[in-house]
Amino acid sequence: MNFPGCAAERRANGTMIHLRETELNSSSNLDYRTLFLFLEEWSLTPSGTNTKMFLISPVVCLMAGVLIIPTMLFVIFSRIKIRQETRYMLLGNALLSDLVYLLFYTVSAALNAAHLHLPKEACVLLLFLLAVAYCGGLFTAVAIVLDTYIAVLFPLHYIAILPPPRTKKIIVLLWMCSGAFPGIFFLVLWSTHSFVPCVLETCSVPVILILTLNGTGAVKLCFWLSATVIILCMSVIFCCYAILYFKTKHSGIWESICSRASVTFLMHNTVLFFYFFPLLALFVESFLCVNAVIRLQTGILVSLTVCNVLTILPKVLFPFLYGLRYREISASLKYLVRRKQLRPASPAPPPS
């Protein structure tokens, strides 16, 4: 679906692309409509840059995720002993969120690489599902850290604090928060008419993020509230890990660099670093681009790199660096592989 007004605007302003680029790269007071027209022209006719190259990472990560994540989910939910433990239920929830995000983001990136425009309603739905899946993974990451915190510092009361029925309610609450948090923002933007039809026609996450800080007050408010929530999540995770380290540094589990505790701690922090660093990079890039510290074209390339590479990468690293650290998960996967390899072949029919 194409919006006639947007198409007419593109044709009327097609010859002004170089003037707009010069103006946008030299001024910090950006006109929102002019900014969008430049971004759309750049996405359709990028100068010296093949944006389709950025599709490689989402496709490769989706293929890797489809190979490992459903198998791990099958292991978790098919074994009663495993699926009754809090840590495995949270792990399964995080894997499910990551798989959904990989699927929808790859679809979005493929549509934009093919220059296929979605209807406005379909674009809003796709963006909402992406936000829900990402929030689900983010909130579950915080829940996993809190679960580790309680298990290490309160081992005798762990079962009483987090029994399986309560964990299931927590997971439902996480999904409700994951839907309510972006849902409120979308309702605010919709009620204040802050959704620009041309922007929704493009429906590119990197482009929309570039436009965010140049939008209306409601858009900027949603952006900074999102940043605040992410910073709060990072603070909770950092405080939990810092307290765990100082509480257990005299227990002897950190004496060897190669000890299981040290390696697990390193793996957890590596995954969380990959989760949060892209968001920080995106915030810094958006701020620099809006204040004309960097060129707009550079800002778009940074946004594409962050969204299509850095944000996608932890989704596929999480099962390998985090999930396989659990002995029960790795042992079950090895058992499935051996069972498949040792499956007897059907005997050949006797010669006639």
Side-chain angles (χ1 to χ4, degrees), residues 303-350:
S303 290
L304 284 169
T305 303
V306 171
C307 293
N308 288 28
V309 181
L310 297 181
T311 305
I312 294 293
L313 193 59
K315 306 295 184 183
V316 74
L317 288 178
F318 183 80
F320 296 98
L321 296 181
Y322 195 99
L324 293 180
R325 291 295 301 167
Y326 291 110
R327 294 188 180 96
E328 291 84 353
I329 299 291
S330 58
S332 299
L333 290 175
K334 291 177 182 177
Y335 173 76
L336 289 177
V337 172
R338 290 199 201 99
R339 185 179 178 182
K340 187 175 181 179
Q341 291 176 345
L342 296 177
R343 183 176 297 171
S346 57

Side-chain angles (χ1 to χ4, degrees), residues 59-299:
V59 171
V60 172
C61 289
L62 177 63
M63 293 174 61
V66 168
L67 289 176
I68 184 65
I69 293 179
T71 306
M72 296 186 75
L73 289 174
F74 173 77
V75 168
I76 292 172
F77 293 110
S78 63
R79 286 163 170 75
I80 299 177
K81 182 180 178 181
I82 293 180
R83 71 168 181 259
Q84 289 297 323
E85 292 192 33
T86 297
R87 53 180 177 169
Y88 294 126
M89 285 191 280
L90 292 175
L91 174 63
N93 193 59
L95 292 173
L96 181 61
S97 301
D98 290 347
L99 183 61
V100 172
Y101 183 86
L102 282 172
L103 178 61
F104 284 120
Y105 189 85
T106 304
V107 170
S108 172
L111 291 174
N112 282 285
H115 303 304
L116 296 177
H117 298 303
L118 289 175
K120 180 177 63 173
E121 293 78 8
C123 178
V124 172
L125 178 61
L126 180 60
L127 294 174
F128 176 75
L129 292 175
L130 280 171
V132 170
Y134 196 89
C135 289
L138 183 67
F139 295 155
T140 306
V142 177
I144 288 174
V145 175
L146 290 174
D147 172 68
T148 305
Y149 177 86
I150 296 172
V152 173
L153 295 187
F154 306 100
L156 299 179
H157 304 283
Y158 177 74
I159 299 298
I161 296 174
L162 289 175
R166 183 173 297 172
T167 304
K168 294 176 182 178
K169 294 178 182 178
I170 291 174
I171 291 176
V172 173
L173 180 63
L174 289 176
W175 279 108
M176 291 174 62
C177 293
S178 301
F181 182 67
I184 293 172
F185 287 171
F186 274 70
L187 287 176
V188 170
L189 296 177
W190 195 270
S191 61
T192 57
H193 304 286
S194 297
F195 279 124
V196 180
C198 295
V199 175
L200 295 179
E201 181 187 353
T202 303
C203 204
S204 171
V205 175
V207 170
I208 290 174
L209 290 173
I210 284 287
L211 291 169
T212 300
L213 290 180
N214 293 277
T216 62
V219 176
K220 294 178 181 179
L221 177 63
C222 292
F223 178 87
W224 289 116
L225 285 177
S226 301
T228 302
V229 171
I230 291 170
I231 292 173
L232 287 175
C233 291
M234 291 178 59
S235 301
V236 170
I237 291 173
F238 176 79
C239 290
C240 288
Y241 273 131
I243 294 173
L244 282 175
Y245 175 76
F246 286 111
K247 291 283 187 179
T248 59
K249 68 176 182 179
H250 299 298
S251 62
I253 63 176
W254 307 104
E255 291 180 357
S256 174
I257 299 178
C258 298
S259 66
R260 181 171 180 82
S262 299
V263 174
T264 302
F265 185 76
L266 178 63
M267 292 298 180
H268 289 191
N269 282 277
T270 301
V271 172
L272 292 171
F273 172 79
F274 279 117
Y275 261 101
F276 289 102
F277 174 74
L279 299 175
L280 293 177
L282 203 58
F283 290 146
V284 172
E285 174 270 326
S286 300
F287 182 79
L288 294 177
C289 187
V290 167
N291 290 276
V293 177
I294 60 176
R295 298 181 61 201
L296 183 60
Q297 189 167 358
T298 304

